[in-house]
Every structure is written in C-alpha cells, then in structure tokens.
Amino acid sequence: MRFRVFHRTRYVYRASVRDSYNEVRLRPVTDDKSRLEFFLLNVKPPARLQHFRDNWLNYVHYFDIPEPHNDLIIESQSTINTTNPYKDGKPLGVRFEALKSETDEMVSPFLGTSRYVEVTPEVWRLGIDIRNDSNDVFETAEAVMHHIFRGWTYAPSSTTASTHMNEVLETKQGVCQDFTHLMIGICRSLGIPARYISGYLYNGPDSHLRGAQASHAWCEVHVPGKGWFGLDPTNDTLADERHIKIATGRDYQDAAPVSGHFDGPPGATAALQVELEVRRLDA
C-alpha cells in the first residue's frame, strides 16, 4: 500500500517559555517491509534541525528554541510504501527451546524490565496461564494478544503517557500504548523478546480500527531464525501493511514521537493539539 501522512503537533503554552529542547521521532522507517519515498519536517518558530541515530537505530531530529515563544508547531509530511510482513504466512513452528540459544545482542535489551514495563511474578503467572500447553513462540504471542483484546477495555483518556503497565494490569483499561506495554511485559516474562513500536495506522473506509486517530502503538516479538513480527493487541490483528512503523524501543520512553523540555514561569504548562491524516494513494 502507498500512503501519504500529514502529522501536526501543537503545544500552546499558558505563559511565554524559552530554551525549549525537543527530540522528534516522526520519520517513517525504511526496511525490507516499507520504503520511504518522501519526508519533510517543519518547525515553528523556525529552528535549525539536526539529526542522529539513537541506540535502537531510530532516526531522531532535534532542535532548540532559545528565544521566548507562546506556542510550538511540529509538522511532518511523508509518503511511504508498505508491504505485508505476513505475505508468506505466520512464523510458526519455532519452539520455546530456540529462545534459550538466542545470542543476538540487539535482542537481549527487549527481555527485561524497562521504564514502563516490569517483569514480575504476577505477570509471569498470567503469561503461563495464557500459554497453556503451547510450545510455539509465535502461537503463544498471538494468544497473549487475543487475551488482552478480550479482557481489557479500550478507554480513551483513561490513562496518560506516563501510565505504567502495572496500573493497566490492575484497572483492565487503557489505550494502544497501554495494551502494548502489557503485551510486552507478558511476552518478556515468558522469555519472548518483545519491543514497542510507534507509528501510524490506516483505517480504511470499510475498517473499524481503534487508535487510528493519532499516533498508534503495537508490539513486535522476535522469533528465532525468523526475525521480528508485529501484533496489534488494541485491534486483535497482525501488524500488516496498514501499520506504518516510525520508531522502535523498549517502551514508550524510547519511541515517543515528540519529547523535550523547556524553561518558563510557574504554571507555564502546555495544551496539546494533534492533527493526523493518513491517506491511501493507490486505492
């Protein structure tokens, strides 16, 4: 599928702020499953954009605005071609014993506790119950996805960007970010490497997908000998060509679309406005 994406993030401050420093992860990924054709990033007030690759190979733009300002607008435009990672079928047939011989150093960071994900005995017991008698890595990951979709309530505005997985485990409600953190925690407790993906989701005219109105999140699990494969617990679906990947990390903290800080007087908080359009070009 071929898409055009327009994404605008606006912060309106209640008082003038200055010395704003921001990191932006908004450039879609180019890999064997997607190809970026065009990308443009604009910032208002104007600022010099620089970039680097972080620890997870995300493309990160950064900028600072030293002068006083009352709002900040970050706009990105991109054109991207995606293919279905599951066009050759699911990566079934890999047994749990294969996880013990995994030696890839790019995989090990996605096995333990991170900022918003905690591997605890409670989560492990839940994972064991979900796994049941399965010895197939991907089949088990799918079962985790199905369990979260059936057992948790999608409730916009019920959580924030800083909500921890443990709170979601207790309240049984949240949004895509929360369900992704929960799935990551359960998979890691079972020894399945799992990572957080931020991106966009195309919701076509005949689709009824949740989380397509803003930046979306889903989980990728590593199947030894096969690679990384995405699962979307918010919609109980495999992450296919409708999912446009932007950034990867251990959890939201590593892959947040926009993060930063500023200096200002007490009470200079920001109101956030987000506008997103994902339009299919080859329909």
Side-chain angles (χ1 to χ4, degrees):
M1 289 183 172
R2 188 165 179 258
F3 301 105
R4 179 168 294 153
V5 179
F6 174 79
H7 186 180
R8 175 189 287 130
T9 301
R10 184 183 185 194
Y11 295 94
V12 180
Y13 304 102
R14 292 180 172 85
S16 181
V17 303
R18 60 181 303 146
D19 295 326
S20 172
Y21 174 83
N22 297 272
E23 292 186 358
V24 178
R25 290 166 175 81
L26 290 173
R27 175 175 167 139
V29 168
T30 288
D31 56 19
D32 58 340
K33 304 176 185 69
S34 61
R35 179 168 54 88
L36 181 64
E37 297 180 357
F38 170 81
F39 179 75
L40 178 66
L41 181 65
N42 288 316
V43 174
K44 301 174 186 177
R48 181 190 176 199
L49 294 170
Q50 302 181 73
H51 62 82
F52 66 92
R53 294 275 187 169
D54 67 13
N55 291 339
W56 319 113
L57 303 181
N58 298 314
Y59 203 100
V60 186
H61 289 90
Y62 66 98
F63 62 91
D64 61 86
I65 304 173
E67 64 271 12
H69 53 285
N70 290 91
D71 66 350
L72 170 63
I73 299 175
I74 303 169
E75 289 183 351
S76 67
Q77 301 176 57
S78 55
T79 304
I80 184 84
N81 253 308
T82 64
T83 58
N84 188 353
Y86 295 96
K87 63 183 185 333
D88 297 324
K90 301 175 184 178
L92 299 171
V94 179
R95 299 171 66 84
F96 267 76
E97 287 77 9
L99 295 171
K100 300 175 183 177
S101 59
E102 182 65 72
T103 58
D104 189 342
E105 6 182 88
M106 291 299 289
V107 170
S108 57
F110 303 105
L111 280 168
T113 293
S114 55
R115 173 66 181 82
Y116 295 111
V117 174
E118 185 177 6
V119 178
T120 64
E122 180 185 4
V123 174
W124 174 77
R125 285 191 293 270
L126 174 60
I128 290 296
D129 288 342
I130 297 171
R131 178 183 171 183
N132 200 1
D133 58 355
S134 172
N135 198 36
D136 187 287
V137 173
F138 190 79
E139 181 182 74
T140 300
E142 269 197 294
V144 173
M145 176 182 71
H146 298 327
H147 182 85
I148 293 172
F149 182 79
R150 291 193 300 264
W152 272 256
T153 301
Y154 183 74
S157 302
S158 63
T159 57
T160 68
S162 60
T163 298
H164 194 277
M165 177 202 82
N166 289 338
E167 181 179 333
V168 180
L169 185 64
E170 181 180 348
T171 63
K172 284 189 169 290
Q173 64 179 7
V175 293
C176 59
Q177 172 183 309
D178 307 305
F179 301 154
T180 299
H181 283 154
L182 181 59
M183 181 169 178
I184 289 171
I186 297 172
C187 286
R188 289 180 186 173
S189 75
L190 295 172
I192 303 174
R195 64 188 186 183
Y196 185 101
I197 305 297
S198 69
Y200 304 117
L201 176 61
Y202 173 66
N203 193 18
D206 298 322
S207 303
H208 302 283
L209 300 175
R210 301 185 292 194
Q213 300 78 19
S215 295
H216 194 51
W218 58 94
C219 172
E220 280 188 349
V221 298
H222 189 263
V223 181
K226 304 282 188 178
W228 290 95
F229 291 86
L231 302 104
D232 183 349
T234 305
N235 293 292
D236 200 28
T237 184
L238 303 178
D240 54 23
E241 66 271 25
R242 298 168 297 177
H243 293 70
I244 304 169
K245 186 193 300 188
I246 293 177
T248 300
R250 292 164 297 182
D251 54 32
Y252 174 79
Q253 186 176 40
D254 292 336
V258 180
S259 59
H261 57 80
F262 59 83
D263 289 333
T269 55
L272 174 63
Q273 303 169 0
V274 177
E275 179 183 347
L276 174 66
E277 181 186 28
V278 181
R279 183 155 59 94
R280 186 174 176 185
L281 300 178
D282 59 351

